[in-house]
Amino acid sequence: MPRILQVFLLCTSFFAIHFSTAAPAQAYHHLCGKFFGVDGNDPISYNYKKITTTYYNAFNGAQGRWDATSAPGYFRYEKNNGDPEVEVKDEGHAWDDWARTSYSCTFGYWSYDEVYIVFNTSTMRGLSAREKKIVAEHELGHAYGLAHEYYTCANPGPAVMRQGTGKFGCGGDGPWYDDVKGVKAKY
């Protein structure tokens, strides 16, 4: 093989490897707040203010999925805690959202270290058990401090923080790689 051809092939291989490789996905953005003192394997307490079996199962499945990732902290149910970090309930509302996570932020942390998650039984009624669990994963993402995303499943990759029904067709269950990456970047 002539030397010039060898140099040409070597150069094209170098450029193909170093400049055509897609950048890692980054399907996350952050909200203002986060929980104080959560790093490593610290607990994030939660309890239920009013919950039916359907949403209890959805939330438990969601917190189990988050806990199985390498995201910092883990969610711990504390039945008798009168002031948990996350309060969860379900009830019917006139608003169109499936669920809402509410909080206030002070100096980059959740004020009083509190987040409230409400599942709207009026709008979630038609969702499957899997879809309800993914909605709960999405709300826990907000509790961690992740904001909404508008990416598709393929570009740059699935994100439980994606708004709407699109995330239901992404294959598998969340939270996905970039959701966890977003929480790690936050904490």
Side-chain angles (χ1 to χ4, degrees):
M1 182 182 285
R3 183 79 172 144
I4 189 101
L5 183 57
Q6 288 176 330
V7 171
F8 173 76
L9 292 174
L10 181 64
C11 288
T12 56
S13 297
F14 173 83
F15 284 111
I17 291 169
H18 292 286
F19 296 106
S20 67
T21 304
Q26 186 170 334
Y28 64 84
H29 288 93
H30 294 141
L31 297 171
C32 169
K34 65 181 185 177
F35 293 109
F36 183 78
V38 172
D39 59 3
N41 202 24
D42 298 313
I44 301 168
S45 63
Y46 73 92
N47 73 17
Y48 302 107
K49 291 301 175 191
K50 176 189 152 294
I51 198 89
T52 59
T53 303
T54 298
Y55 297 95
Y56 172 88
N57 291 338
F59 187 85
N60 277 342
Q63 68 86 29
R65 293 287 299 181
W66 272 106
D67 288 350
T69 71
S70 59
Y74 67 95
F75 294 96
R76 179 172 67 194
Y77 175 63
E78 295 181 0
K79 180 179 182 177
N80 297 319
N81 186 341
D83 190 26
E85 291 159 303
V86 181
E87 292 183 13
V88 184
K89 65 180 175 178
D90 67 52
E91 53 193 25
H93 287 280
W95 32 269
D96 292 336
D97 301 343
W98 291 324
R100 287 189 178 170
T101 300
S102 58
Y103 45 79
S104 63
C105 183
T106 307
F107 302 113
Y109 292 95
W110 300 136
S111 300
Y112 309 106
D113 229 18
E114 291 183 339
V115 172
Y116 305 93
I117 296 175
V118 178
F119 297 107
N120 187 353
T121 59
S122 300
T123 55
M124 289 184 71
R125 186 174 296 124
L127 299 179
S128 70
R130 175 184 174 268
E131 291 167 342
K132 287 174 181 158
K133 180 175 59 77
I134 291 174
V135 169
E137 291 170 7
H138 176 96
E139 298 308 318
L140 280 169
H142 285 317
Y144 260 130
L146 297 178
H148 286 147
E149 288 305 331
Y150 300 93
Y151 297 109
T152 65
C153 295
N155 183 23
V160 78
M161 297 313 298
R162 181 177 179 190
Q163 223 11 358
T165 60
K167 63 182 163 277
F168 297 151
C170 287
D173 291 340
W176 288 283
Y177 172 77
D178 273 350
D179 300 309
V180 175
K181 186 177 170 186
V183 171
K184 286 180 169 183
K186 179 88 178 178
Y187 289 84

